[in-house]
Amino acid sequence: MLDITEHFNVFAVHMLDKTYTDFVNTDLEYQELDCYLENNKDRFETIINSLNEENSKFVKEYIVKQSDKLTCANQCLYLASYKDCIKLLKLLGVI
């Protein structure tokens, strides 16, 4: 049986997925950035492939680490917003 923390985590993951999907489908700035990346991926790969193997591997790993760092921060902030919302509802006497 799941405890309240596990239920909250499952709920938050499902809501995060929905929020992310809604964001991707509606945010124009994100869509512009995605379009830029998509349009330039072949050029990027050509440049990366022109590097020696060690440097190419490093640059790819570095970019993945940057992306992972941002994803981690975004997930943490998203969960914190839930906790802040609960605190606010308690302060207002709603719960």
Side-chain angles (χ1 to χ4, degrees):
M1 183 164 174
L2 297 175
D3 69 7
I4 188 69
T5 302
E6 291 168 326
H7 281 291
F8 174 75
N9 288 337
V10 169
F11 170 77
V13 166
H14 288 294
M15 291 304 295
L16 181 60
D17 288 344
K18 182 187 178 327
T19 301
Y20 178 75
T21 300
D22 292 345
F23 170 73
V24 167
N25 291 331
T26 60
D27 189 85
L28 294 179
E29 184 178 7
Y30 177 88
Q31 291 171 2
E32 288 174 6
L33 292 168
D34 191 51
C35 184
Y36 174 85
L37 293 172
E38 184 64 30
N39 289 337
N40 289 288
K41 71 179 182 181
D42 290 337
R43 180 177 177 201
F44 176 79
E45 283 298 321
T46 300
I47 293 168
I48 290 295
N49 292 334
S50 72
L51 301 172
N52 66 44
E53 187 176 336
E54 181 181 342
N55 287 339
S56 175
K57 183 178 175 181
F58 171 78
V59 170
K60 287 178 182 178
E61 184 178 326
Y62 188 87
I63 291 169
V64 167
K65 298 286 185 192
Q66 282 182 319
S67 177
D68 290 348
K69 178 183 171 188
L70 292 172
T71 299
C72 180
N74 286 337
Q75 289 174 344
C76 180
L77 292 171
Y78 186 80
L79 291 175
S81 69
Y82 270 112
K83 294 174 184 175
D84 290 344
C85 181
I86 292 168
K87 289 176 189 174
L88 177 61
L89 291 172
K90 284 181 180 179
L91 181 68
L92 295 173
V94 176
I95 56 173

